[in-house]
Structure formats: C-alpha cells, structure tokens
Amino acid sequence: MRRLLVINADDFGYSVERNEGMVTCFLSGAISGVTLMVNGVAAEDAVNRAKKVNMPTGMHFNIIEGTPVGTKTKTLTDCTGKFLDLSSLKKALSKGEVDMEEVRWELQSQIDRFQSLMGRKPEHIDGHQHAHLLPGICEVFASVLRENGVRSTRCPYEDLEPDHVYSWTADVIKDLDAMFQEVIDQASSAKPILKENGIWVSDRFVGLQTMGSDMTLERLQRQLAKAFKCNGNDVISCELMVHPGYKSGDVGGCGIGVDDFARSEQREHEMNVLQSKEMQDFYRTQGIEIVPFQRCYS
C-alpha cells in the first residue's frame, strides 16, 4: 500500500517572516507546498520566493480576515470595509444576509489576483479557517473551482482524539472540540458537493489538533499513523495542515495588522517539529511519501 502525505502550509503571504520560514521548511523537505493569501501584505514577496525555489503553491481563499480583493463585498464586510470575522459571517449566513453572488465575485477576484501574481491559475484552493465549507458558501465555492479548472481542495474530516487538552488557544476559545466538530460536520456535508463538481479531496486529514504547541512529536506521529491505518486500498492519501513560519514583526496580516498567533513562538515551534530528524525517520519507517497535491490525483 502506498501512503501519500501532502504537508500543506497555510497563510503564505501573511508576512515576510512567515514566507521565509515556509521556504526554509520546503527546502528541508518538511512541507510539500503552500497556499497563498492573495490579500496578504507580503503576497508579492511570497510569490517571488516561491518561484525561485519552484515551490508548489495553491491559493488560500480568505473571506473572513482583512481587506477584500474584489469590489462587490457589501454583505461580506463591516462598516470599515473589512471582512466580517468568522463568527459574524456565520451569523449573517444564518439570517440569510449574505449575497452569494458577492461570494462568487470575491472568490473569482482572488483567483484572478493569484493568476496575475503567479502567471497561472491555481490548481488547488483551500479556505482560511475552513470558511469555504460553510453551508451556502460551499456550493458557490465548488462551482467556481470547477469553472476555473481547479483540481483539488481541503476537506478536514479528521478523527478527533477524545479528551484532548488544548494548550495555546485554551484561553481564547473555550470549546475547541465543539468548534472542530462543527468543521468536521461541514466537511462531511461538503464532500458530495465537491465530488459532484469534480474536485479532488484527500482520503484522510490531520491538523485540527496539532496546531502550534499542540503539535508534539508523539501526537503528530500518532495521528498520522492512525490516518494511514490500512483499509484495504492500494493507495491512501492524507493532507497534513500546518502553520510554520518565523515570528512576524510589526508588518503583516491582510489589512488589519498582525495577530497574536503570528507574533508568538507557536509557528517556529511547528517549524522545529516538522524539520526534526524524528519526523523524517518516522516517514521513512512508515513508508510515507511526502508529495504535492498534484501527485495524488494525476
């Protein structure tokens, strides 16, 4: 049985420091590719770095943080013209206040921006904080990807470990298990919609419970071993979502400044774990191949 692991780093383009850290991880074999926030303040720097090292780069669709790329975003933004945060977007969706044509327009605008920067359309698009899977938005998302020939996306249906005690976010979000279970439920509902539109997703997913200091060698290896447990298939694909990068300074973000996670040690911690000899030895002994998305569906 072949075990194909895509290690994708989110938020490329957020800051120069993060960009540098992701390229370092790629060159050391710790990640297989990145997804670019085209509204990130360091997007152009990110693209220049990616092209120099031929790093596989997809798009990180962002509809819940910072400044929009398109101009038709009235129901997606607040009174300052910035995107509604995830919680506010969910509330607006539940009240039927979001114009789905604006979602379509913004997604297409970000794809066009990606093409302008990279010289090609993205082959893979995922969503910042999984907003691409929200009910109503998912249908539009899948349709636009199909129309643009995008081949793959993220569907984070992870098998959560019970009684997991979260560290770095415990004082910020009181019930992460409930939040992550909501994401998993949305992913389950989204999978047939994506399939109907010819969008490939990995067989397995790891990453919700291994962010920042929650990424330990023991936990990461345990989660991956469980994901690749033989199910009778000749090939099993898994996406590992990661957030490495050097600590951001005063310049970064998507138009609303640098957040606390970017300023913390958490992303450098992920870099250290992902680049460790222990992880490289684990992949080798487990027969896990580190590949870009394109290797999984081509």
Side-chain angles (χ1 to χ4, degrees), residues 158 180 205-211 223 239-243:
E158 183 170 348
F180 288 155
F205 177 88
V206 172
L208 296 177
Q209 290 186 320
T210 54
M211 291 187 286
Q223 291 272 43
E239 179 187 359
L240 171 60
M241 174 185 72
V242 297
H243 301 85

Side-chain angles (χ1 to χ4, degrees), residues 102 108 128 160 184-185 222 225 238-239 271-272 280 292:
E102 291 186 0
Q108 187 62 56
H128 190 41
L160 296 179
I184 292 167
D185 291 343
R222 183 174 65 247
C238 178
E239 179 187 359
M271 286 185 66
N272 293 334
Q280 301 306 312

Side-chain angles (χ1 to χ4, degrees), residues 47-207:
V47 168
N48 290 335
R49 292 174 186 269
K51 289 180 176 179
K52 285 180 180 178
V53 297
N54 197 29
M55 182 165 63
T57 304
M59 194 182 93
H60 199 51
F61 176 45
N62 178 12
I63 201 172
I64 50 90
E65 182 180 345
T67 306
V69 173
T71 57
K72 300 177 182 179
T73 56
K74 183 178 180 180
T75 66
L76 302 175
T77 54
D78 60 21
C79 60
T80 69
K82 305 301 183 184
F83 280 128
L84 301 173
D85 62 21
L86 183 59
S87 176
S88 299
L89 179 60
K90 287 180 180 179
K91 290 178 182 177
L93 284 167
S94 69
K95 296 177 180 179
E97 296 174 349
V98 175
D99 184 343
M100 290 302 162
E101 284 304 307
E102 291 186 0
V103 175
R104 177 180 293 275
W105 178 265
E106 179 60 23
L107 175 52
Q108 187 62 56
S109 295
Q110 292 191 23
I111 292 172
D112 293 345
R113 171 65 172 157
F114 181 98
Q115 184 173 15
S116 175
L117 290 166
M118 292 292 297
R120 60 170 176 82
K121 287 188 176 183
E123 295 184 26
H124 174 87
I125 301 179
D126 54 30
H128 190 41
Q129 296 185 27
H130 316 291
H132 66 301
L133 302 177
L134 291 170
I137 289 179
C138 180
E139 290 81 355
V140 174
F141 177 82
S143 174
V144 174
L145 263 60
R146 184 191 70 244
E147 293 165 3
N148 284 273
V150 178
R151 298 291 303 278
S152 62
T153 190
R154 170 179 295 161
C155 206
Y157 34 89
E158 183 170 348
D159 184 12
L160 296 179
E161 293 188 337
D163 304 319
H164 176 77
V165 179
Y166 299 92
S167 55
W168 66 273
T169 49
D171 59 338
V172 179
I173 302 175
K174 300 301 182 183
D175 193 356
L176 277 175
D177 271 333
M179 184 185 77
F180 288 155
Q181 189 58 55
E182 181 182 15
V183 170
I184 292 167
D185 291 343
Q186 290 167 355
S188 180
S189 298
K191 191 172 183 180
I193 297 170
L194 297 167
K195 184 177 181 180
E196 288 172 6
N197 284 272
I199 310 300
W200 181 91
V201 297
S202 61
D203 299 318
R204 311 286 172 80
F205 177 88
V206 172

Side-chain angles (χ1 to χ4, degrees), residues 13-53:
Y14 185 94
S15 70
V16 170
E17 295 87 353
R18 187 172 302 176
N19 296 345
E20 182 182 357
M22 289 185 180
V23 171
T24 297
C25 284
F26 174 70
L27 292 176
S28 68
I31 63 173
S32 50
V34 297
T35 41
L36 172 70
M37 305 176 89
V38 297
N39 71 333
V41 300
E44 291 187 10
D45 173 82
V47 168
N48 290 335
R49 292 174 186 269
K51 289 180 176 179
K52 285 180 180 178
V53 297

